[in-house]
Amino acid sequence: MNARAIDILTNLAGNRIEQEEKARKALADEAGDMAKGLGRSTIRKAMEAVADAMPYRLLMEDQESDSPAEAFLQLHKSLTR
């Protein structure tokens, strides 16, 4: 895989994972405030952020293989399962 594609995927992964972490933190903060109810929109945002970040997390984990093509095949297999 060429360096530009790796840079693009790394940036996308970083952005999606960062958004996921922010959404999870917001959910945890809201859940921890007993004076305030847990809002559906906060739960939905966290779920959407997790779903959005999942393929990138899987790709980053599978990227440890020797072949980039193998990493994409493993990602495809994981997502279609």
Side-chain angles (χ1 to χ4, degrees), residues 1 59 62-74:
M1 187 179 318
L59 182 60
D62 293 337
Q63 201 173 30
E64 295 173 359
S65 69
D66 293 335
S67 164
E70 186 63 36
F72 279 107
L73 289 173
Q74 184 62 35

Side-chain angles (χ1 to χ4, degrees), residues 3 7 11 13 15 19 21 25 37 41 48 54-55 58-60 67 71-75 78-79:
D7 286 343
N11 287 333
N15 290 337
Q19 293 303 316
E21 290 170 358
K25 183 177 181 336
S41 67
E48 288 173 352
M54 184 180 54
L58 292 172
L59 182 60
M60 298 303 275
S67 164
F72 279 107
L73 289 173
Q74 184 62 35
L75 174 63
S78 297
L79 293 176

Side-chain angles (χ1 to χ4, degrees), residues 43-59:
I43 296 170
R44 183 177 299 115
K45 286 178 185 176
M47 290 173 59
E48 288 173 352
V50 169
D52 195 34
M54 184 180 54
Y56 295 98
R57 282 189 180 280
L58 292 172
L59 182 60

Side-chain angles (χ1 to χ4, degrees), residues 13-25:
N15 290 337
R16 297 307 196 291
I17 291 169
E18 183 179 319
Q19 293 303 316
E20 176 192 12
E21 290 170 358
K22 287 179 183 177
R24 283 180 184 265
K25 183 177 181 336

